[in-house]
Amino acid sequence: MKYRIEKDSIGEIKVDNAKYWGAQTQRSLENFVISQEIMPTTLIHAIAAVKIAAAKANLGLKKIDNKRAKAIIEAGYTILKDKLNDQFPLKIWQTGSGTQTNMNVNEVIAQYANKLLKETLVHPNDHVNMSQSSNDVFPTAIHVAVCQTITKKLIPSLNDLIIAFKKLEKKFANIIKIGRTHLQDATPILLSQEISAWRTSLENCSVQLSNSINSLYELPLGGTAVGTGLNAPKNFDKLAVKNLADIYSLPFKVMNNKFDGLAFKERVASVHAQLKVLSTTLYKIANDIRFLGSGPRAGIGELILPANEPGSSIMPGKVNPTQSEAMMMVCTQVMGNDVTVSFAASQGNYELNTFMPVIAYDTLWSIQLLTDAMNSFNHKCVSGIEVNKTKIDYNLNNSLMLVTALSPKIGYAKAAEIAKYAHKHDLTLKEAALKSGYINENDFDKLVDPKKMV
């Protein structure tokens, strides 16, 4: 392997000749050999977009010459096209400001820009990082990456799942089944009504998520080191943020109080809280579907779930609710990530939160997990759900809770007596009711009609 010598304020260090990064990236690579988690590509892209936006702003403000600016912009777009992904190897577990990853992007862009120019004109700090600090670049990139992945990936996947449930509602519109509360028989419900609760809860999550990211459209870019904007020229923030809005076609705007943007991460924590809420909803839906599909003979067995793969290495013919299980595991991970993000958002001192890499990583990971899990759950489970009408009718007609319809006629106490008698003596509800003498057959048939109870 051939090396070149790179220099920074610490001194000299060897860097692989095949790599575009410089001294600060190499030091981080050697000093933080911790686990396997590296900075997400979406975050790297967001930082590269910040560099493009900043170069355009600096050019417009005549802070940088056209030659250097164009090379920086072209290098930045090369990163956005996924052509330099292997140049960003740094771990999440590094400096809490994300400075080393900001410098990783600065160094790669500078080196690539110089390659384009065929001369050494672009410096990572003086030109690529001009009018910026890691302290405003990194939180800006977090906001950009989270907004972009939620609006372009997660919410579309969520809305597709909502559509899938709407189709099931229509498909199973006239099927009456027994309802259940406390894991016990309850009064009848339409299967479409049960599904409508799942769908509506997801619709609420979609609205709440969309609302939660509104605060993230505000970007602290231009605050530089502590929020004062030192070394950033007047109007840099407005021009750079407008450029970012154009790159992503999202309504980014300048944050009113950049001190908040650097020191606090309550906005990201709030968004992740909504990801947690979505997880609680998805967990319950997946669990409901898992239980309603249990069996096929010794369980509830009212839903027939797609058979995607064999379920056992020893029991032939067994099929398991694997998509529900995968979804539920994803949800537990997101709930755990929320604890990390919440605690990390409370950390840091004075003018800077110094837990930003883990906040970025866990938030973007949660978004990716939920996006992928919803796509899988939709296409491999929900869209293929069928019903076992025979089992549904059996459970409905043998439920003792149909007795509820008798309460207005004979009173709660007598209705309860009938239900208990039927259960104890293994009788149908009708047999027990007629045996009690509290109601005649004609009135029973009129009142105990599941169609009138939904």
Side-chain angles (χ1 to χ4, degrees):
M1 185 181 293
K2 294 183 179 180
Y3 296 92
R4 67 180 186 275
I5 300 298
E6 291 279 355
K7 296 179 181 180
D8 60 12
S9 59
I10 300 295
E12 295 183 344
I13 191 170
K14 291 180 178 180
V15 177
D16 182 352
N17 252 344
K19 306 302 182 184
Y20 287 111
W21 65 69
Q24 291 198 47
T25 303
Q26 188 64 34
R27 291 192 195 283
S28 181
L29 196 58
E30 294 178 9
N31 290 335
F32 297 96
V33 185
I34 304 173
S35 193
Q36 303 299 316
E37 296 82 17
I38 63 173
M39 287 290 175
T41 300
T42 49
L43 186 68
I44 297 297
H45 283 189
I47 297 174
V50 169
K51 303 304 170 181
I52 294 169
K56 289 181 178 180
N58 286 320
L59 178 61
L61 293 167
K62 296 181 169 54
K63 295 290 290 183
I64 191 172
D65 62 273
N66 187 63
K67 190 174 185 180
R68 287 187 175 93
K70 283 191 172 181
I72 291 171
I73 292 166
E74 185 175 346
Y77 275 114
T78 301
I79 292 172
L80 295 186
K81 293 174 183 176
D82 285 320
K83 293 184 177 180
L84 295 173
N85 288 350
D86 62 340
Q87 298 297 316
F88 305 102
L90 298 190
K91 301 294 175 61
I92 290 297
W93 320 110
Q94 55 165 275
T95 174
S97 62
T99 298
Q100 289 147 8
T101 288
N102 180 44
M103 285 307 304
N104 183 192
V105 177
N106 287 336
E107 290 173 346
V108 170
I109 287 179
Q111 186 84 336
Y112 194 85
N114 288 329
K115 178 183 176 181
L116 293 171
L117 295 171
K118 298 180 181 179
E119 55 182 321
T120 306
L121 288 179
V122 178
H123 189 277
N125 296 83
D126 295 337
H127 303 119
V128 185
N129 202 60
M130 179 182 286
S131 308
Q132 308 150 62
S133 163
S134 299
N135 296 352
D136 65 342
V137 168
F138 206 83
T140 294
I142 294 175
H143 284 210
V144 169
V146 170
C147 288
Q148 193 264 339
T149 51
I150 286 180
T151 57
K152 304 295 175 64
K153 295 181 180 180
L154 188 142
I155 288 179
S157 294
L158 174 54
N159 290 339
D160 284 347
L161 184 57
I162 290 168
I163 291 170
F165 279 123
K166 283 182 179 178
K167 290 179 179 178
L168 287 187
E169 284 180 68
K170 185 176 181 180
K171 184 176 182 180
F172 304 139
N174 299 314
I175 297 177
I176 303 172
K177 55 164 286 181
I178 197 64
R180 295 179 178 86
T181 59
H182 301 273
L183 295 179
Q184 305 297 307
D185 296 354
T187 55
I189 188 173
L190 288 170
L191 178 55
S192 60
Q193 292 171 329
E194 187 168 44
I195 296 170
S196 76
W198 303 340
R199 183 256 307 161
T200 301
S201 185
L202 291 175
E203 287 174 338
N204 290 336
C205 288
S206 183
V207 171
Q208 290 163 5
L209 266 171
S210 296
N211 290 338
S212 74
I213 62 173
N214 285 336
S215 67
L216 290 190
Y217 288 131
E218 293 187 17
L219 305 180
L221 190 60
T224 65
V226 295
T228 61
L230 180 66
N231 291 350
K234 186 179 179 180
N235 292 325
F236 167 81
D237 53 356
K238 294 177 183 177
L239 290 174
V241 169
K242 182 183 182 302
N243 292 335
L244 276 171
D246 292 340
I247 291 170
Y248 284 98
S249 299
L250 290 172
F252 294 123
K253 56 186 177 181
V254 176
M255 187 176 288
N256 290 329
N257 189 319
K258 297 184 180 71
F259 304 104
D260 165 48
L262 273 59
F264 290 89
K265 294 292 159 281
E266 81 285 355
R267 299 165 191 248
V268 184
S270 179
V271 171
H272 200 286
Q274 291 304 321
L275 296 176
K276 179 189 69 176
V277 170
L278 174 58
S279 294
T280 64
T281 295
L282 289 168
Y283 188 101
K284 185 182 184 300
I285 292 170
N287 205 24
D288 282 352
I289 288 173
R290 180 173 70 131
F291 276 108
L292 290 173
S294 62
R297 294 188 176 180
I300 294 175
E302 293 180 349
L303 297 184
I304 302 171
L305 308 185
N308 296 320
E309 67 277 316
S312 173
S313 62
I314 187 173
M315 293 175 280
K318 194 172 191 294
V319 177
N320 296 329
T322 51
Q323 290 296 318
S324 282
E325 291 165 358
M327 172 63 81
M328 292 160 71
M329 286 191 286
V330 162
C331 292
T332 61
Q333 183 63 62
V334 173
M335 292 173 196
N337 288 350
D338 191 65
V339 175
T340 300
V341 171
S342 298
F343 186 77
S346 74
Q347 299 305 297
N349 305 99
Y350 313 119
E351 278 65 62
L352 187 68
N353 178 291
T354 51
F355 280 57
M356 285 192 286
V358 75
I359 290 173
Y361 182 78
D362 276 13
T363 303
L364 292 171
W365 186 23
S366 291
I367 293 168
Q368 187 66 56
L369 281 171
L370 289 169
T371 300
D372 292 346
M374 285 190 293
N375 286 337
S376 182
F377 191 58
N378 182 357
H379 300 302
K380 298 296 182 180
C381 180
V382 174
S383 296
I385 289 176
E386 298 293 342
V387 299
N388 185 336
K389 188 65 165 54
T390 301
K391 193 67 180 285
I392 286 176
D393 290 343
Y394 176 84
N395 290 338
L396 173 66
N397 295 324
N398 283 278
S399 173
L400 299 177
M401 288 305 99
L402 297 178
V403 77
T404 305
L406 298 179
S407 291
K409 178 76 173 179
I410 64 176
Y412 181 95
K414 290 179 180 178
E417 182 183 329
I418 291 171
K420 290 181 179 180
Y421 188 86
H423 183 56
K424 181 177 180 180
H425 297 280
D426 196 23
L427 299 174
T428 66
L429 191 61
K430 184 174 183 178
E431 289 170 339
L434 297 181
K435 200 172 185 68
S436 72
Y438 296 143
I439 194 166
N440 60 47
E441 184 174 5
N442 186 53
D443 286 342
F444 181 93
D445 289 341
K446 286 182 180 178
L447 293 171
V448 185
D449 182 357
K451 292 180 182 179
K452 298 176 181 178
M453 299 171 72
V454 297

